[in-house]
């Protein structure tokens, strides 16, 4: 069985982040055939500066390599002042000049229904980077708040079912997109 590899990126560096807990829980809920790897090094990226873009620091190369190895990307980010967090935008800015997000299937997890501005910003940025947002695999969860940690998310019947469903929908969409790409390459040969 071919494993669908998903890279999970949290926009929060907070130790008790609900977004990171959500992605950790998703990794543990993944059915056989789906592997979710949490990228834990966003905070180690330098601040983006076009003057140093060509130097390709090891942390930037590491993010790019993780993205290249992933069939799809899960992103969960808090909203800060009606935008995405600086740490996530910084990571995306580092990837703009490469092909890292081009045609990459993306699922957006939103842990806070009121955080509509950050989701809209994220969609706009990813779209201009030519990523493929898979709408059927995007989930907005009821306000999780501080009361639900990773274990709490896993044991919450409705939330864990929604996460498993999103993963399955994402896997199906990725398989469809990969088959379409293969057919297009076949036609152009
Ligand atoms: C600097 C800052 C700005 C924030 N701005 C917003 C905001 O504009 N809208 C919103 O809904 N929540 C806002 N929040 C609340 C966070 O989005 C919320 O606490 C979120 O759960 C944090 O995610 P985390 O637990 O993954 O770190 C803000 C929090 C901080 C620290």
């Amino acid at each position: 069985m071919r494993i669908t590899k998903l890279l999970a990126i949290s926009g929060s560096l907070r130790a008790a982040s609900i977004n990171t807990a959500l992605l950790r829980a998703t990794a543990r809920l993944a059915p056989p055939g789906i592997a979710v790897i949490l990228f834990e090094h966003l905070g180690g990226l330098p601040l983006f500066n076009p003057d140093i873009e060509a130097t390709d620091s090891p942390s930037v190369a590491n993010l790019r390599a993780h993205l290249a190895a992933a069939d799809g990307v899960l992103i969960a980010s808090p909203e800060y002042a009606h935008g995405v967090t600086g740490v996530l935008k910084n990571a995306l800015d580092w990837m703009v000049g490469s092909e890292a997000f081009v045609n990459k299937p993306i699922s957006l997890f939103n842990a806070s229904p009121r955080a509509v501005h950050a989701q809209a910003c994220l969609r706009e940025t990813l779209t201009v980077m030519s990523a493929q947002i898979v709408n059927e695999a995007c989930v907005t969860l009821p306000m999780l708040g501080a009361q639900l940690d990773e274990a709490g998310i896993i044991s919450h019947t409705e939330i864990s079912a929604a996460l498993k469903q999103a993963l399955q929908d994402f896997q199906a969409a990725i398989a469809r997109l990969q088959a379409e790409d293969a057919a297009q390459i076949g036609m152009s040969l």
Side-chain angles (χ1 to χ4, degrees), residues 153-164:
I153 292 168
I154 289 171
S155 59
H156 192 292
T157 315
E158 286 88 23
I159 292 175
S160 58
L163 294 174
K164 282 184 198 166

Side-chain angles (χ1 to χ4, degrees), residues 134-155:
V134 177
N135 286 319
E136 64 266 36
C138 295
V139 242
T140 294
L141 296 158
M143 190 70 87
L144 297 181
Q147 72 277 16
L148 274 191
D149 57 8
E150 181 184 336
I153 292 168
I154 289 171
S155 59

